[in-house]
Amino acid sequence: IMKISSTAIALSFAYGASAFAPSVNPSRIGSPSTAASSTELDLFFMNTLKHKRAVSKVNKPARVKDSISEQEVRGLFELWNSALATGDSRVVASRYSKNPVLLPTVKDDPRTDYDSVKDYFDTFLLKKPQGTILDGKVHIGDGWATDMGIYEFTMGATGDKVKARYTYNYVQEDGVWKIQHHHSSVMPEAVDMGKPITPDEVRGLFHLWND
């Protein structure tokens, strides 16, 4: 039965991808350009399958059961952290709900849909971040759960460490726990507020008032 299922899946992928496959003139079969097109199609299939497997891997453990424990809520963070480790912004964005609110650490503008969440992680993942929760508190309600506290990121690309406050609000969506709200902000005491102001900055205050 498994062999039949695998064959059916393969045929369905091949059929579904036919719309993307370049048309080939029979007289050109075996030519270098045809071989190149075949290679590109193979890469397309491989990348698509790799992406689908990665998305499934980080979302399958988050399937909704009758109830959720504090430990399982904390496990949802680890799934998100695992998504970061893939380096694929699409996988990370798949952990957010259909109508998310992401208030990111290093960008000013809120991200409120799949594309904008993915766009943020396109850049952030270049730093190769991995997070660790240092202190947090979990609250669980009817169909929702919240995890909030302090976490620290280690940037694999540079070795830098960034500590921040966080809030994750999880909701049930299509039978899976997803991130509906995610707020992350750098620790306020890490911001140097005692730095002396320069003459140019004083003049800039006038321009702000003038505007």
Side-chain angles (χ1 to χ4, degrees), residues 1-66:
I1 294 175
M2 290 301 296
K3 291 183 178 179
I4 294 174
S5 300
S6 299
T7 302
I9 292 172
L11 288 173
S12 66
F13 267 101
Y15 179 79
S18 61
F20 300 94
S23 59
V24 179
N25 187 328
S27 64
R28 298 178 61 193
I29 293 178
S31 67
S33 60
T34 302
S37 298
S38 178
T39 300
E40 290 172 0
L41 191 56
D42 288 343
L43 289 173
F44 169 79
F45 277 129
M46 290 175 62
N47 289 334
T48 300
L49 287 171
K50 182 179 179 181
H51 166 62
K52 287 180 178 294
R53 287 168 181 164
V55 169
S56 176
K57 184 176 181 179
V58 300
N59 283 284
K60 187 176 180 179
R63 293 193 180 281
V64 174
K65 296 182 290 186
D66 292 338

Short mmCIF file of all heavy atoms in Angstrom, two decimals, residues 1-66:
data_model
loop_
_atom_site.label_atom_id
_atom_site.label_comp_id
_atom_site.label_asym_id
_atom_site.label_seq_id
_atom_site.Cartn_x
_atom_site.Cartn_y
_atom_site.Cartn_z
N ILE A 1 0.84 -1.21 0.00
CA ILE A 1 0.00 0.00 0.00
C ILE A 1 0.86 1.24 0.00
O ILE A 1 0.59 2.21 -0.68
CB ILE A 1 -0.94 0.02 1.23
CG1 ILE A 1 -1.94 -1.13 1.11
CG2 ILE A 1 -1.68 1.34 1.32
CD1 ILE A 1 -2.83 -1.28 2.33
N MET A 2 1.98 1.20 0.79
CA MET A 2 2.86 2.36 0.84
C MET A 2 3.48 2.64 -0.50
O MET A 2 3.68 3.77 -0.90
CB MET A 2 3.95 2.13 1.89
CG MET A 2 3.44 2.14 3.32
SD MET A 2 2.66 3.70 3.73
CE MET A 2 4.07 4.79 3.59
N LYS A 3 3.81 1.57 -1.28
CA LYS A 3 4.42 1.76 -2.60
C LYS A 3 3.43 2.45 -3.54
O LYS A 3 3.79 3.31 -4.33
CB LYS A 3 4.88 0.43 -3.17
CG LYS A 3 6.06 -0.19 -2.43
CD LYS A 3 6.51 -1.48 -3.08
CE LYS A 3 7.71 -2.07 -2.36
NZ LYS A 3 8.15 -3.34 -2.96
N ILE A 4 2.17 2.00 -3.47
CA ILE A 4 1.15 2.61 -4.33
C ILE A 4 0.97 4.06 -3.98
O ILE A 4 0.88 4.93 -4.84
CB ILE A 4 -0.18 1.84 -4.20
CG1 ILE A 4 -0.01 0.42 -4.75
CG2 ILE A 4 -1.29 2.57 -4.94
CD1 ILE A 4 -1.23 -0.47 -4.54
N SER A 5 0.95 4.36 -2.69
CA SER A 5 0.77 5.74 -2.25
C SER A 5 1.91 6.61 -2.71
O SER A 5 1.73 7.72 -3.18
CB SER A 5 0.63 5.79 -0.72
OG SER A 5 -0.46 5.04 -0.30
N SER A 6 3.14 6.10 -2.59
CA SER A 6 4.31 6.87 -3.01
C SER A 6 4.27 7.15 -4.49
O SER A 6 4.58 8.24 -4.97
CB SER A 6 5.59 6.10 -2.66
OG SER A 6 5.67 5.89 -1.28
N THR A 7 3.83 6.14 -5.28
CA THR A 7 3.74 6.33 -6.73
C THR A 7 2.70 7.38 -7.06
O THR A 7 2.89 8.24 -7.92
CB THR A 7 3.37 4.99 -7.40
OG1 THR A 7 4.35 4.02 -7.06
CG2 THR A 7 3.31 5.15 -8.92
N ALA A 8 1.56 7.30 -6.36
CA ALA A 8 0.49 8.28 -6.62
C ALA A 8 0.95 9.68 -6.30
O ALA A 8 0.65 10.62 -7.02
CB ALA A 8 -0.74 7.91 -5.78
N ILE A 9 1.69 9.83 -5.18
CA ILE A 9 2.19 11.15 -4.81
C ILE A 9 3.14 11.68 -5.86
O ILE A 9 3.09 12.83 -6.28
CB ILE A 9 2.88 11.08 -3.44
CG1 ILE A 9 1.85 10.80 -2.35
CG2 ILE A 9 3.62 12.38 -3.13
CD1 ILE A 9 2.46 10.51 -0.99
N ALA A 10 4.03 10.80 -6.32
CA ALA A 10 5.01 11.22 -7.33
C ALA A 10 4.31 11.66 -8.60
O ALA A 10 4.67 12.66 -9.22
CB ALA A 10 5.97 10.07 -7.62
N LEU A 11 3.26 10.88 -9.01
CA LEU A 11 2.52 11.24 -10.22
C LEU A 11 1.79 12.56 -10.06
O LEU A 11 1.74 13.38 -10.98
CB LEU A 11 1.52 10.12 -10.57
CG LEU A 11 2.13 8.82 -11.10
CD1 LEU A 11 1.06 7.75 -11.24
CD2 LEU A 11 2.82 9.05 -12.44
N SER A 12 1.24 12.79 -8.86
CA SER A 12 0.52 14.04 -8.64
C SER A 12 1.45 15.23 -8.69
O SER A 12 1.11 16.29 -9.20
CB SER A 12 -0.21 14.00 -7.29
OG SER A 12 0.71 13.95 -6.23
N PHE A 13 2.67 15.09 -8.13
CA PHE A 13 3.66 16.16 -8.22
C PHE A 13 4.02 16.42 -9.67
O PHE A 13 4.12 17.56 -10.12
CB PHE A 13 4.92 15.78 -7.43
CG PHE A 13 4.91 16.29 -6.04
CD1 PHE A 13 4.60 15.45 -4.97
CD2 PHE A 13 5.18 17.63 -5.77
CE1 PHE A 13 4.59 15.93 -3.69
CE2 PHE A 13 5.15 18.10 -4.49
CZ PHE A 13 4.86 17.24 -3.44
N ALA A 14 4.23 15.33 -10.43
CA ALA A 14 4.63 15.49 -11.82
C ALA A 14 3.54 16.17 -12.62
O ALA A 14 3.78 17.06 -13.44
CB ALA A 14 4.96 14.12 -12.42
N TYR A 15 2.27 15.77 -12.36
CA TYR A 15 1.15 16.37 -13.06
C TYR A 15 1.00 17.83 -12.70
O TYR A 15 0.82 18.69 -13.55
CB TYR A 15 -0.13 15.60 -12.74
CG TYR A 15 -1.36 16.18 -13.41
CD1 TYR A 15 -1.63 15.91 -14.76
CD2 TYR A 15 -2.23 17.00 -12.70
CE1 TYR A 15 -2.75 16.46 -15.36
CE2 TYR A 15 -3.34 17.54 -13.30
CZ TYR A 15 -3.60 17.26 -14.64
OH TYR A 15 -4.70 17.81 -15.23
N GLY A 16 1.12 18.13 -11.38
CA GLY A 16 0.93 19.51 -10.94
C GLY A 16 2.02 20.43 -11.44
O GLY A 16 1.82 21.62 -11.63
N ALA A 17 3.21 19.89 -11.65
CA ALA A 17 4.32 20.72 -12.10
C ALA A 17 4.34 20.90 -13.60
O ALA A 17 5.13 21.67 -14.13
CB ALA A 17 5.65 20.09 -11.66
N SER A 18 3.45 20.18 -14.32
CA SER A 18 3.49 20.25 -15.78
C SER A 18 3.24 21.66 -16.28
O SER A 18 3.71 22.05 -17.35
CB SER A 18 2.47 19.27 -16.37
OG SER A 18 1.14 19.62 -15.96
N ALA A 19 2.47 22.44 -15.50
CA ALA A 19 2.19 23.82 -15.92
C ALA A 19 3.43 24.67 -15.90
O ALA A 19 3.52 25.70 -16.57
CB ALA A 19 1.12 24.43 -15.02
N PHE A 20 4.43 24.30 -15.07
CA PHE A 20 5.65 25.07 -14.97
C PHE A 20 6.74 24.54 -15.89
O PHE A 20 7.77 25.16 -16.07
CB PHE A 20 6.18 25.03 -13.52
CG PHE A 20 5.22 25.59 -12.54
CD1 PHE A 20 4.32 24.78 -11.86
CD2 PHE A 20 5.18 26.96 -12.28
CE1 PHE A 20 3.44 25.31 -10.95
CE2 PHE A 20 4.30 27.49 -11.36
CZ PHE A 20 3.42 26.67 -10.71
N ALA A 21 6.55 23.34 -16.45
CA ALA A 21 7.58 22.73 -17.27
C ALA A 21 7.64 23.39 -18.63
O ALA A 21 6.62 23.67 -19.25
CB ALA A 21 7.30 21.23 -17.43
N PRO A 22 8.84 23.68 -19.13
CA PRO A 22 8.96 24.31 -20.44
C PRO A 22 8.55 23.34 -21.53
O PRO A 22 8.78 22.14 -21.43
CB PRO A 22 10.47 24.63 -20.52
CG PRO A 22 11.10 23.63 -19.61
CD PRO A 22 10.13 23.42 -18.50
N SER A 23 7.87 23.89 -22.58
CA SER A 23 7.50 23.04 -23.70
C SER A 23 8.75 22.67 -24.48
O SER A 23 9.65 23.48 -24.66
CB SER A 23 6.51 23.79 -24.61
OG SER A 23 7.09 24.99 -25.09
N VAL A 24 8.81 21.42 -24.93
CA VAL A 24 10.00 20.92 -25.61
C VAL A 24 9.65 20.46 -27.00
O VAL A 24 8.70 19.69 -27.20
CB VAL A 24 10.61 19.73 -24.82
CG1 VAL A 24 11.83 19.19 -25.55
CG2 VAL A 24 10.97 20.16 -23.41
N ASN A 25 10.37 20.97 -27.97
CA ASN A 25 10.22 20.54 -29.35
C ASN A 25 10.85 19.17 -29.48
O ASN A 25 12.01 18.97 -29.15
CB ASN A 25 10.93 21.54 -30.26
CG ASN A 25 10.66 21.23 -31.73
OD1 ASN A 25 10.50 20.07 -32.11
ND2 ASN A 25 10.61 22.28 -32.55
N PRO A 26 10.09 18.14 -29.97
CA PRO A 26 10.64 16.79 -30.06
C PRO A 26 11.95 16.73 -30.82
O PRO A 26 12.80 15.90 -30.54
CB PRO A 26 9.53 16.01 -30.79
CG PRO A 26 8.28 16.76 -30.47
CD PRO A 26 8.69 18.20 -30.40
N SER A 27 12.10 17.60 -31.80
CA SER A 27 13.32 17.57 -32.61
C SER A 27 14.53 18.01 -31.82
O SER A 27 15.67 17.81 -32.25
CB SER A 27 13.15 18.46 -33.85
OG SER A 27 12.97 19.82 -33.46
N ARG A 28 14.30 18.65 -30.62
CA ARG A 28 15.40 19.18 -29.84
C ARG A 28 15.73 18.30 -28.64
O ARG A 28 16.54 18.64 -27.81
CB ARG A 28 15.07 20.59 -29.36
CG ARG A 28 14.85 21.57 -30.51
CD ARG A 28 14.48 22.93 -29.95
NE ARG A 28 15.54 23.46 -29.12
CZ ARG A 28 15.39 24.51 -28.31
NH1 ARG A 28 14.22 25.09 -28.22
NH2 ARG A 28 16.41 24.95 -27.59
N ILE A 29 15.02 17.16 -28.54
CA ILE A 29 15.27 16.27 -27.39
C ILE A 29 16.73 15.82 -27.42
O ILE A 29 17.26 15.40 -28.44
CB ILE A 29 14.34 15.05 -27.44
CG1 ILE A 29 12.89 15.49 -27.20
CG2 ILE A 29 14.76 14.00 -26.40
CD1 ILE A 29 11.89 14.37 -27.28
N GLY A 30 17.37 15.91 -26.25
CA GLY A 30 18.77 15.51 -26.18
C GLY A 30 19.72 16.65 -26.38
O GLY A 30 20.93 16.50 -26.20
N SER A 31 19.20 17.86 -26.74
CA SER A 31 20.07 19.01 -26.94
C SER A 31 20.49 19.57 -25.61
O SER A 31 19.85 19.32 -24.59
CB SER A 31 19.33 20.09 -27.75
OG SER A 31 18.26 20.62 -26.98
N PRO A 32 21.57 20.36 -25.52
CA PRO A 32 22.05 20.93 -24.25
C PRO A 32 20.98 21.74 -23.54
O PRO A 32 20.86 21.70 -22.33
CB PRO A 32 23.25 21.79 -24.68
CG PRO A 32 23.72 21.14 -25.95
CD PRO A 32 22.49 20.65 -26.63
N SER A 33 20.17 22.52 -24.31
CA SER A 33 19.16 23.36 -23.68
C SER A 33 18.08 22.52 -23.02
O SER A 33 17.56 22.85 -21.96
CB SER A 33 18.53 24.31 -24.71
OG SER A 33 17.91 23.57 -25.75
N THR A 34 17.74 21.39 -23.66
CA THR A 34 16.74 20.50 -23.07
C THR A 34 17.26 19.88 -21.79
O THR A 34 16.55 19.77 -20.79
CB THR A 34 16.38 19.38 -24.06
OG1 THR A 34 15.90 19.97 -25.27
CG2 THR A 34 15.31 18.47 -23.47
N ALA A 35 18.53 19.50 -21.82
CA ALA A 35 19.14 18.91 -20.62
C ALA A 35 19.16 19.91 -19.49
O ALA A 35 18.90 19.58 -18.34
CB ALA A 35 20.56 18.44 -20.94
N ALA A 36 19.44 21.19 -19.81
CA ALA A 36 19.46 22.24 -18.79
C ALA A 36 18.09 22.42 -18.19
O ALA A 36 17.93 22.57 -16.98
CB ALA A 36 19.98 23.55 -19.40
N SER A 37 17.04 22.42 -19.07
CA SER A 37 15.67 22.58 -18.57
C SER A 37 15.30 21.44 -17.65
O SER A 37 14.65 21.62 -16.63
CB SER A 37 14.70 22.66 -19.75
OG SER A 37 14.98 23.77 -20.57
N SER A 38 15.72 20.23 -18.01
CA SER A 38 15.44 19.07 -17.17
C SER A 38 16.10 19.21 -15.81
O SER A 38 15.51 18.89 -14.79
CB SER A 38 15.93 17.80 -17.87
OG SER A 38 15.72 16.66 -17.06
N THR A 39 17.34 19.71 -15.80
CA THR A 39 18.05 19.90 -14.53
C THR A 39 17.36 20.94 -13.68
O THR A 39 17.22 20.77 -12.46
CB THR A 39 19.50 20.33 -14.80
OG1 THR A 39 20.15 19.33 -15.57
CG2 THR A 39 20.25 20.55 -13.49
N GLU A 40 16.92 22.03 -14.28
CA GLU A 40 16.23 23.08 -13.54
C GLU A 40 14.93 22.55 -12.94
O GLU A 40 14.56 22.88 -11.81
CB GLU A 40 15.93 24.26 -14.47
CG GLU A 40 17.17 25.03 -14.90
CD GLU A 40 16.88 26.05 -15.96
OE1 GLU A 40 15.69 26.17 -16.37
OE2 GLU A 40 17.81 26.75 -16.39
N LEU A 41 14.21 21.70 -13.71
CA LEU A 41 12.97 21.12 -13.20
C LEU A 41 13.24 20.18 -12.04
O LEU A 41 12.51 20.16 -11.05
CB LEU A 41 12.24 20.38 -14.33
CG LEU A 41 10.80 19.93 -14.05
CD1 LEU A 41 9.94 21.13 -13.66
CD2 LEU A 41 10.22 19.25 -15.28
N ASP A 42 14.32 19.40 -12.14
CA ASP A 42 14.71 18.52 -11.05
C ASP A 42 15.02 19.31 -9.78
O ASP A 42 14.61 18.94 -8.68
CB ASP A 42 15.94 17.69 -11.43
CG ASP A 42 15.61 16.61 -12.46
OD1 ASP A 42 14.42 16.30 -12.62
OD2 ASP A 42 16.55 16.11 -13.11
N LEU A 43 15.73 20.43 -9.94
CA LEU A 43 16.05 21.28 -8.80
C LEU A 43 14.80 21.87 -8.19
O LEU A 43 14.67 22.01 -6.98
CB LEU A 43 17.02 22.39 -9.22
CG LEU A 43 18.45 21.95 -9.54
CD1 LEU A 43 19.25 23.12 -10.10
CD2 LEU A 43 19.13 21.39 -8.30
N PHE A 44 13.84 22.24 -9.06
CA PHE A 44 12.57 22.79 -8.59
C PHE A 44 11.85 21.78 -7.71
O PHE A 44 11.37 22.08 -6.63
CB PHE A 44 11.69 23.18 -9.79
CG PHE A 44 10.27 23.52 -9.42
CD1 PHE A 44 9.95 24.75 -8.89
CD2 PHE A 44 9.25 22.59 -9.59
CE1 PHE A 44 8.64 25.07 -8.54
CE2 PHE A 44 7.95 22.89 -9.24
CZ PHE A 44 7.64 24.14 -8.72
N PHE A 45 11.79 20.52 -8.19
CA PHE A 45 11.14 19.46 -7.41
C PHE A 45 11.86 19.26 -6.09
O PHE A 45 11.23 19.13 -5.03
CB PHE A 45 11.15 18.15 -8.20
CG PHE A 45 10.03 18.03 -9.20
CD1 PHE A 45 10.30 17.68 -10.52
CD2 PHE A 45 8.72 18.25 -8.83
CE1 PHE A 45 9.27 17.57 -11.45
CE2 PHE A 45 7.68 18.15 -9.75
CZ PHE A 45 7.97 17.80 -11.06
N MET A 46 13.19 19.21 -6.12
CA MET A 46 13.97 18.95 -4.91
C MET A 46 13.76 20.06 -3.88
O MET A 46 13.56 19.79 -2.69
CB MET A 46 15.45 18.83 -5.26
CG MET A 46 15.80 17.56 -6.04
SD MET A 46 17.53 17.52 -6.56
CE MET A 46 18.34 17.52 -4.95
N ASN A 47 13.79 21.32 -4.33
CA ASN A 47 13.62 22.45 -3.42
C ASN A 47 12.21 22.48 -2.84
O ASN A 47 12.01 22.79 -1.67
CB ASN A 47 13.92 23.76 -4.13
CG ASN A 47 15.40 23.93 -4.43
OD1 ASN A 47 16.24 23.38 -3.73
ND2 ASN A 47 15.72 24.67 -5.47
N THR A 48 11.22 22.15 -3.69
CA THR A 48 9.83 22.14 -3.22
C THR A 48 9.62 21.06 -2.17
O THR A 48 9.01 21.30 -1.12
CB THR A 48 8.87 21.90 -4.40
OG1 THR A 48 9.02 22.94 -5.36
CG2 THR A 48 7.42 21.88 -3.92
N LEU A 49 10.14 19.86 -2.42
CA LEU A 49 10.00 18.77 -1.47
C LEU A 49 10.74 19.08 -0.17
O LEU A 49 10.23 18.80 0.92
CB LEU A 49 10.53 17.47 -2.07
CG LEU A 49 9.66 16.83 -3.15
CD1 LEU A 49 10.41 15.68 -3.82
CD2 LEU A 49 8.34 16.33 -2.57
N LYS A 50 11.92 19.65 -0.28
CA LYS A 50 12.71 20.00 0.91
C LYS A 50 11.96 21.02 1.75
O LYS A 50 11.90 20.90 2.99
CB LYS A 50 14.06 20.57 0.48
CG LYS A 50 14.97 20.92 1.65
CD LYS A 50 16.31 21.46 1.14
CE LYS A 50 17.22 21.82 2.32
NZ LYS A 50 18.52 22.37 1.85
N HIS A 51 11.36 22.02 1.09
CA HIS A 51 10.60 23.04 1.82
C HIS A 51 9.39 22.44 2.51
O HIS A 51 9.13 22.71 3.69
CB HIS A 51 10.17 24.13 0.84
CG HIS A 51 9.13 25.06 1.37
ND1 HIS A 51 9.34 25.85 2.48
CD2 HIS A 51 7.85 25.31 0.97
CE1 HIS A 51 8.25 26.56 2.72
NE2 HIS A 51 7.34 26.23 1.82
N LYS A 52 8.63 21.59 1.79
CA LYS A 52 7.43 20.98 2.37
C LYS A 52 7.78 20.11 3.58
O LYS A 52 7.07 20.09 4.57
CB LYS A 52 6.70 20.15 1.31
CG LYS A 52 5.98 20.98 0.25
CD LYS A 52 5.28 20.09 -0.76
CE LYS A 52 4.51 20.91 -1.78
NZ LYS A 52 3.38 21.65 -1.18
N ARG A 53 8.87 19.37 3.48
CA ARG A 53 9.29 18.52 4.60
C ARG A 53 9.68 19.35 5.81
O ARG A 53 9.36 19.00 6.95
CB ARG A 53 10.45 17.63 4.16
CG ARG A 53 10.05 16.52 3.20
CD ARG A 53 11.27 15.86 2.58
NE ARG A 53 10.89 14.79 1.65
CZ ARG A 53 11.72 14.28 0.76
NH1 ARG A 53 12.96 14.72 0.67
NH2 ARG A 53 11.31 13.32 -0.06
N ALA A 54 10.38 20.47 5.56
CA ALA A 54 10.81 21.33 6.67
C ALA A 54 9.60 21.96 7.35
O ALA A 54 9.54 22.05 8.58
CB ALA A 54 11.77 22.40 6.16
N VAL A 55 8.64 22.43 6.56
CA VAL A 55 7.42 23.02 7.12
C VAL A 55 6.66 22.00 7.95
O VAL A 55 6.20 22.27 9.05
CB VAL A 55 6.52 23.58 5.99
CG1 VAL A 55 5.14 23.95 6.54
CG2 VAL A 55 7.17 24.81 5.35
N SER A 56 6.55 20.78 7.42
CA SER A 56 5.84 19.71 8.14
C SER A 56 6.55 19.39 9.45
O SER A 56 5.91 19.17 10.48
CB SER A 56 5.75 18.46 7.25
OG SER A 56 5.16 17.40 7.95
N LYS A 57 7.88 19.37 9.41
CA LYS A 57 8.65 18.99 10.59
C LYS A 57 8.44 19.95 11.75
O LYS A 57 8.37 19.52 12.91
CB LYS A 57 10.13 18.92 10.23
CG LYS A 57 11.02 18.44 11.36
CD LYS A 57 12.47 18.31 10.91
CE LYS A 57 13.35 17.79 12.05
NZ LYS A 57 14.76 17.64 11.63
N VAL A 58 8.34 21.26 11.47
CA VAL A 58 8.22 22.24 12.55
C VAL A 58 6.77 22.50 12.94
O VAL A 58 6.51 23.15 13.95
CB VAL A 58 8.91 23.58 12.20
CG1 VAL A 58 10.38 23.38 11.95
CG2 VAL A 58 8.25 24.26 11.02
N ASN A 59 5.81 22.00 12.15
CA ASN A 59 4.41 22.24 12.47
C ASN A 59 3.68 21.00 12.99
O ASN A 59 2.74 21.11 13.78
CB ASN A 59 3.66 22.78 11.24
CG ASN A 59 3.95 24.24 10.99
OD1 ASN A 59 3.44 25.11 11.69
ND2 ASN A 59 4.78 24.53 10.01
N LYS A 60 4.13 19.81 12.58
CA LYS A 60 3.46 18.59 13.01
C LYS A 60 3.42 18.44 14.53
O LYS A 60 2.38 18.08 15.10
CB LYS A 60 4.13 17.38 12.37
CG LYS A 60 3.40 16.06 12.61
CD LYS A 60 4.05 14.91 11.87
CE LYS A 60 3.31 13.62 12.11
NZ LYS A 60 3.93 12.48 11.36
N PRO A 61 4.53 18.71 15.26
CA PRO A 61 4.48 18.57 16.72
C PRO A 61 3.56 19.58 17.40
O PRO A 61 3.25 19.44 18.58
CB PRO A 61 5.94 18.81 17.15
CG PRO A 61 6.75 18.52 15.93
CD PRO A 61 5.90 18.99 14.79
N ALA A 62 3.13 20.62 16.65
CA ALA A 62 2.28 21.65 17.24
C ALA A 62 0.80 21.38 17.04
O ALA A 62 -0.04 22.25 17.30
CB ALA A 62 2.64 23.02 16.64
N ARG A 63 0.45 20.18 16.58
CA ARG A 63 -0.96 19.86 16.38
C ARG A 63 -1.73 19.92 17.70
O ARG A 63 -1.23 19.53 18.74
CB ARG A 63 -1.11 18.48 15.74
CG ARG A 63 -0.58 18.44 14.30
CD ARG A 63 -1.01 17.18 13.57
NE ARG A 63 -0.50 17.16 12.21
CZ ARG A 63 -1.03 17.83 11.20
NH1 ARG A 63 -2.11 18.57 11.40
NH2 ARG A 63 -0.50 17.76 9.98
N VAL A 64 -2.95 20.44 17.60
CA VAL A 64 -3.78 20.64 18.78
C VAL A 64 -4.27 19.30 19.33
O VAL A 64 -4.74 18.44 18.59
CB VAL A 64 -4.99 21.53 18.44
CG1 VAL A 64 -5.94 21.62 19.64
CG2 VAL A 64 -4.52 22.92 18.02
N LYS A 65 -4.15 19.14 20.65
CA LYS A 65 -4.71 17.98 21.35
C LYS A 65 -5.82 18.50 22.27
O LYS A 65 -6.24 19.65 22.18
CB LYS A 65 -3.61 17.27 22.13
CG LYS A 65 -2.52 16.68 21.24
CD LYS A 65 -1.46 15.95 22.03
CE LYS A 65 -0.61 16.90 22.84
NZ LYS A 65 0.53 16.22 23.51
N ASP A 66 -6.29 17.64 23.14
CA ASP A 66 -7.40 18.04 24.02
C ASP A 66 -7.01 19.22 24.91
O ASP A 66 -7.81 20.10 25.18
CB ASP A 66 -7.83 16.85 24.88
CG ASP A 66 -8.49 15.75 24.06
OD1 ASP A 66 -8.97 16.06 22.96
OD2 ASP A 66 -8.51 14.60 24.52
#
